[in-house]
Amino acid sequence: MGKPLDTEQPTNVGIIGCGAIIAQYLANFRRLRDTNLVAVADLDPARAQAVADSYDGVRALTVDALLAADDVELVLNLTIPAAHAEVALLAIAAGKSVYGEKPLAATTAEARQVLDAARKAGVAVGCAPDTVLGTGIQTARKAIDDGLIGRPISATATMVTPGHERWHPNPDFYYQPGGGPLLDMGPYYVSALVTLLGPVVSVIGAASHTRDERTIGSGPREGQRVPVAIDTHVTGVLVHASGALSTLVMSFDAVKTRSPNIEIHGEHGSLVVPDPNHFDGDVQLFVLGAGDWETLPVSAGYTDAGRGFGVADLIRTPAGQEPRAGGALAFHALEVMESVLESAHTGTPVRIGSTVSRPEPVALTAIAEAPLAITS
């Protein structure tokens, strides 16, 4: 049985996986009073040592040694998606809570194993994206909860790019099973839609791809061709339990869009929601009968937030309560995305087996003013 995290004292964190994303977590851990980074590990010992050398009080360990370390209470899992479940299960077996980068696992079957193991062990599970905790999504959530647009009717969520191969030196995995625009960027959008509008009960999807190869545009492999084995343009309609309908467009094929990242429509008004891949941004409101859009003042969320705030929020969540950026939300988002792809291939709607409560809202909180805390 795992030991519940102490919500009054900093929690000792160990990080497994020292790739590019770790830099953002390290920067924020230096500001977060609820986290105390003690150890890092990577399959490449030199990468782990480089991180340890850059952060006072941190030691570089092997993965096995980090999992066995008595002073590591929570494991931050920054490995590649294919390894998310394996590493999470090992950490849980060692009695440690886990917070992982998105997605929770490569498949819902693996994700279910993680959640079941954590429940049996009595440890907590959290998962990115924690962008939903920032002022952008939370200010939009408060506007909806305060009735500024009336009853929500529908939403659109749009992410288009001509493809990551234009800038990524090794984009192969984006175009293989487990990759693609929906599984890569969808967690930000689906998590935001569920936070704003509640859980999804069914989906219908369609998908396509425009070409069978991609050409790498930068780095030492510039000019090499990468095979495309997945659909690169995905559209889905999500039916929320509330009755609201969300239309999702995720593309590695389209060149550009002027559509808002997320737009919410209600009976009495509409909201433009900022990029869910960011923690902040303007929320714009147009009320029925108004002359123009107005930018709402920031009214909710963690200010000046960044990656790692979800870890601190998990730490501050009392035992027995689900973290806002928790395993249940991550599982539901993953099932929604898997089901959109299944529907695209079968041509039939798919019911969503899981559900989740809308996470508790985040009151407007400045990290310099007070410890992170759950607001009921």
Side-chain angles (χ1 to χ4, degrees):
M1 175 69 73
K3 180 176 80 68
L5 298 177
D6 188 341
T7 60
E8 301 298 327
Q9 299 294 326
T11 290
N12 290 337
V13 178
I15 299 178
I16 298 179
C18 297
I21 192 65
I22 196 174
Q24 297 182 50
Y25 282 92
L26 295 177
N28 289 307
F29 277 3
R30 288 185 169 93
R31 302 190 295 133
L32 290 169
R33 66 193 68 188
D34 296 284
T35 60
N36 179 38
L37 184 61
V38 297
V40 294
D42 193 274
L43 292 178
D44 181 350
R47 290 207 301 189
Q49 189 61 55
V51 171
D53 291 343
S54 72
Y55 203 111
D56 291 344
V58 174
R59 61 194 191 275
L61 302 174
T62 65
V63 172
D64 288 344
L66 187 149
L67 291 170
D70 289 338
D71 63 334
V72 173
E73 299 171 273
L74 182 148
V75 170
L76 174 56
N77 182 2
L78 303 184
T79 58
I80 61 173
H84 283 181
E86 177 185 2
V87 171
L89 288 169
L90 288 171
I92 291 166
K96 305 180 190 306
S97 293
V98 182
Y99 184 96
E101 254 302 324
K102 54 85 181 172
L104 181 59
T107 66
T108 52
E110 290 183 348
R112 175 52 63 197
Q113 292 177 16
V114 171
L115 296 186
D116 287 347
R119 184 175 60 255
K120 292 176 182 177
V123 298
V125 175
C127 187
D130 50 1
T131 47
V132 295
L133 307 180
T135 56
I137 300 300
Q138 288 295 321
T139 294
R141 164 90 181 248
K142 188 173 189 303
I144 293 171
D145 291 351
D146 287 349
L148 298 189
I149 64 171
R151 182 171 60 91
I153 299 168
S154 67
T156 59
T158 306
M159 189 291 302
V160 303
T161 171
H164 292 348
E165 75 279 0
R166 294 168 59 85
W167 57 268
H168 199 294
N170 295 292
D172 310 63
F173 69 97
Y174 288 114
Y175 299 103
Q176 296 301 310
L182 182 59
L183 293 177
D184 177 45
M185 295 300 295
Y188 299 104
Y189 289 80
V190 175
S191 296
L193 289 170
V194 173
T195 296
L196 294 167
L197 299 175
V200 176
V201 295
S202 67
V203 302
I204 188 166
S208 64
H209 72 276
T210 58
R211 48 197 185 275
D212 296 326
E213 291 182 331
R214 300 286 179 128
T215 302
I216 298 176
S218 64
R221 298 174 61 199
E222 182 176 358
Q224 289 185 21
R225 294 181 177 181
V226 173
V228 176
I230 45 88
D231 288 318
T232 47
H233 184 99
V234 182
T235 298
V237 175
L238 318 182
V239 181
H240 295 265
S242 65
L245 305 177
S246 293
T247 302
L248 194 67
V249 177
M250 302 280 115
S251 181
F252 283 167
D253 292 340
V255 173
K256 199 71 173 176
T257 180
R258 296 181 69 177
S259 299
N261 296 99
I262 296 178
E263 197 168 49
I264 310 289
H265 303 290
E267 289 182 300
H268 307 307
S270 295
L271 278 177
V272 171
V273 182
D275 188 344
N277 193 16
H278 297 162
F279 286 83
D280 54 12
D282 289 340
V283 177
Q284 294 186 302
L285 170 68
F286 195 106
V287 177
L288 184 65
D292 202 355
W293 294 89
E294 65 169 308
T295 299
L296 296 179
V298 172
S299 60
Y302 294 134
T303 61
D304 194 27
R307 299 193 194 283
F309 273 57
V311 178
D313 191 83
L314 179 151
I315 290 167
R316 299 301 299 177
T317 301
Q321 292 186 23
E322 178 69 14
R324 293 186 180 97
L329 175 59
F331 182 92
H332 187 67
L334 179 59
E335 185 183 2
V336 167
M337 293 185 294
E338 269 194 3
S339 298
V340 168
L341 294 175
E342 178 185 344
S343 176
H345 296 150
T346 63
T348 59
V350 176
R351 296 287 300 178
I352 304 301
S354 66
T355 191
V356 64
S357 299
R358 288 175 79 204
E360 288 290 328
V362 182
L364 188 62
T365 305
I367 191 66
E369 294 177 359
L372 297 178
I374 288 294
T375 303
S376 298

